Amino acid sequence: MQKIIIEGSRRLVGEVTISGAKNSALAILTAAILADSKCTIRNLPDIRDVAYIKDMLLQMGAKVETNQDTMVVDGSNISKYKIDMDLAKKMRASYYFLGALMGKFNKAEIPFPGGCDIGVRPIDLHIKGLEALGAKIKLSHGVIKAKATELVGATIYLDVVSVGATLNIMLAACKAKGVTTIENAAKEPYIVDTANFLNAMGANIKGAGTDVIKIKGVSVLHGCEHTIIPDQMEAGTFMAAAAATRGDVLIKNVIPTHLEAISAKLREMGVEVIEYEDSLRVINNGRTKAVNIKTLPYPGFPTDMQQPVSVLLALSDGTAIITESIFESRFKYLDELKRMGAKIKVEGRVAVIEGVSKLSGAPIYATDLRAGAAMVVAGLVAEGKTEISNIGHIDRGYEKLEEKLIKLGAKIKRVDED
Ligand code: EPZ
């Protein structure tokens, strides 16, 4: 096992380039098996979850060639419709194979997904959507078994805005007979990126990025080329780190509109955020003002950014209230911040944070992926040394995090746990 050690109280100054979006990459690499020939996918992040998806593709019989940030996936010879249990349990996104394999074979056997422990994370809407398309689904011994004679387009209303369910239904509906309409669909950038990829394969998807997506089934999906969009959450994490350390960082290779909710909140806190064509600069010279945050589906404030930004709130002037409206237990990491001196009270989905003047370095651990990012931000601003364990979570979603932070002036290293 390894841990990260950070010597805190150092400003981040300089430039950082953001990698491809994890949550786009996972959906798009899975969607590639729907094509009858090669798909070339560029700007993939070098992270553990992408490696897991690649292992699943290989295990199913797909051909996958990797060259730096590019993968060429050929799923035309896949014959398996079952996913390896051990691999699937390592991450949540393995459930995209449910929609993709139903779209390809009208058959799929997928273990219940793993992923960050931030709530119950049911998959009832995924099942509701696939059953509406004509799938018969059985859940037994932790495996989802789905099959259909054929998939027929339907209108599906999502009771809760769900990124995963929207994507899974889109994957299954691409080759269904007739038109599928997803109402109350998620609008995250990953949805648009995946729809663009599927349309490049010859699918007929309209309305991605709005809350009504129409998919007209086609009979063939062919290979294509695609470049993954920049990672909104990695960019947001660096924005929070730059602001928390009272730094001055130019964050390159971003799509500023994807970061609007984060930029708006930082500006409300008194942080300067200057937007350019494909980059933005975050400058903070003093103590930020406490603000309230309520997480919402896109374009609202992202739930994945609640954790890194909470460090900034822990040091702000005043009392801040965070309302986590997406996941029911995404505050576990706040106990780690309290060990560093933060003053926080949690009641259900609401955290009340009373700003303190400093945090002190301490041995802490990552409870999930974005919590791990929050722990790194906390270590960067805390006085003294912080040791973060359980950092496998961080490696699932952040490419070369230490390297990028060292270039910005951080004193951070990875060592083996003694
Ligand atoms: C995706 O998770 C992301 N993961 C999460 O990012 C992100 O936090 C989340 O979307 C919200 O933006 C990936 O893309 C791999 P949801 P997902 O379905 O799809 C409820 C990260 O750090 N729900 O949009 O699992 C659910 O319980 C990860 O990169 C149902 O009730 O999230 C939650 O309350 C963490 N029934 C809400 O919807 C369902 O069938 C939103 O979940 C599905 C979801």
Side-chain angles (χ1 to χ4, degrees):
M1 295 289 274
Q2 295 186 307
K3 62 185 172 185
I4 284 177
I5 297 179
I6 304 174
E7 289 298 335
S9 312
R10 298 169 68 88
R11 294 181 66 231
L12 296 184
V13 179
E15 297 185 357
V16 63
T17 299
I18 298 303
S19 305
K22 165 177 88 82
N23 294 342
S24 271
L26 303 179
I28 286 170
L29 285 169
T30 307
I33 71 168
L34 285 164
D36 61 3
S37 52
K38 287 182 180 176
C39 292
T40 300
I41 301 154
R42 297 189 177 85
N43 197 35
L44 285 163
D46 178 11
I47 55 176
R48 205 171 284 180
D49 272 10
V50 166
Y52 288 150
I53 286 274
K54 177 183 172 184
D55 290 346
M56 287 181 220
L57 289 169
L58 290 169
Q59 190 259 343
M60 295 165 73
K63 289 201 197 79
V64 183
E65 294 151 36
T66 305
N67 176 11
Q68 293 175 334
D69 71 351
T70 300
M71 274 191 203
V72 179
V73 179
D74 183 348
S76 55
N77 292 325
I78 288 177
S79 52
K80 284 188 185 170
Y81 59 88
K82 296 182 182 177
I83 295 288
D84 176 87
M85 176 77 91
D86 295 338
L87 277 172
K89 296 200 82 55
K90 291 175 190 280
M91 55 190 286
R92 179 136 177 104
S94 49
Y95 62 16
Y96 292 140
F97 281 107
L98 187 58
L101 288 168
M102 283 305 285
K104 189 175 181 74
F105 296 129
N106 286 336
K107 221 190 276 185
E109 282 193 21
I110 312 287
F112 262 81
C116 291
D117 178 12
I118 49 181
V120 172
R121 306 188 81 180
I123 57 167
D124 56 310
L125 296 176
H126 299 243
I127 290 167
K128 171 183 174 182
L130 291 175
E131 284 178 338
L133 296 175
K136 299 277 174 282
I137 295 186
K138 265 192 351 194
L139 310 176
S140 65
H141 308 297
V143 177
I144 307 160
K145 294 181 181 172
K147 63 180 183 201
T149 41
E150 63 172 355
L151 293 179
V152 179
T155 295
I156 299 152
Y157 175 79
L158 294 181
D159 312 66
V160 178
V161 175
S162 163
V163 170
T166 302
L167 286 167
N168 237 341
I169 294 165
M170 219 161 68
L171 292 173
C174 275
K175 292 175 74 180
K177 262 170 103 177
V179 177
T180 296
T181 304
I182 306 173
E183 295 180 340
N184 199 27
K187 299 181 270 195
E188 270 68 6
Y190 330 123
I191 309 280
V192 178
D193 203 21
T194 305
N196 290 340
F197 174 71
L198 290 165
N199 283 339
M201 287 166 73
N204 184 335
I205 301 171
K206 292 191 172 57
T210 74
D211 46 20
V212 178
I213 300 177
K214 275 195 186 309
I215 304 130
K216 196 153 174 273
V218 296
S219 49
V220 175
L221 291 172
H222 50 71
C224 67
E225 304 212 357
H226 183 81
T227 300
I228 302 280
I229 57 170
D231 193 314
Q232 165 197 28
M233 300 311 164
E234 186 195 14
T237 303
F238 276 96
M239 292 169 76
T245 58
R246 302 190 185 183
D248 179 347
V249 178
L250 180 66
I251 301 168
K252 297 160 66 176
N253 185 36
V254 298
I255 299 174
T257 46
H258 290 169
L259 301 165
E260 245 155 36
I262 306 161
S263 302
K265 269 300 155 187
L266 291 183
R267 289 186 181 116
E268 207 183 312
M269 296 171 83
V271 177
E272 189 180 358
V273 180
I274 306 164
E275 290 182 14
Y276 304 101
E277 174 81 13
D278 60 357
S279 62
L280 49 77
R281 189 173 167 195
V282 176
I283 309 166
N284 181 29
N285 299 312
R287 191 176 187 192
T288 49
K289 193 166 72 63
V291 296
N292 295 335
I293 287 178
K294 179 174 178 137
T295 64
L296 286 167
Y298 191 81
F301 190 89
T303 174
D304 293 350
M305 281 299 103
Q306 173 254 102
Q307 295 164 296
V309 171
S310 69
V311 181
L312 204 45
L313 294 173
L315 290 162
S316 291
D317 184 12
T319 299
I321 295 173
I322 299 182
T323 307
E324 171 50 66
S325 63
I326 308 289
F327 292 107
E328 67 274 21
S329 63
R330 197 164 196 172
F331 284 138
K332 281 199 227 39
Y333 72 101
L334 291 175
D335 290 336
E336 301 303 300
L337 287 190
K338 288 195 266 188
R339 287 154 62 96
M340 301 174 83
K343 278 205 185 125
I344 302 169
K345 267 205 233 63
V346 174
E347 287 287 330
R349 289 181 180 236
V350 175
V352 180
I353 302 179
E354 192 188 324
V356 294
S357 55
K358 70 175 178 64
L359 294 177
S360 315
I364 51 180
Y365 75 98
T367 52
D368 59 71
L369 166 54
R370 304 301 169 185
M375 298 302 109
V376 170
V377 177
L380 292 170
V381 297
E383 281 183 2
K385 183 168 85 168
T386 296
E387 293 193 1
I388 307 169
S389 53
N390 208 21
I391 58 173
H393 284 296
I394 299 172
D395 298 336
R396 284 187 43 218
Y398 288 90
E399 176 183 305
K400 302 189 181 75
L401 184 59
E402 296 104 275
E403 200 177 302
K404 292 181 178 181
L405 287 169
I406 287 167
K407 281 199 187 119
L408 293 171
K411 270 189 89 174
I412 179 171
K413 64 182 178 185
R414 180 182 291 242
V415 298
D416 291 330
E417 301 248 41
D418 37 38

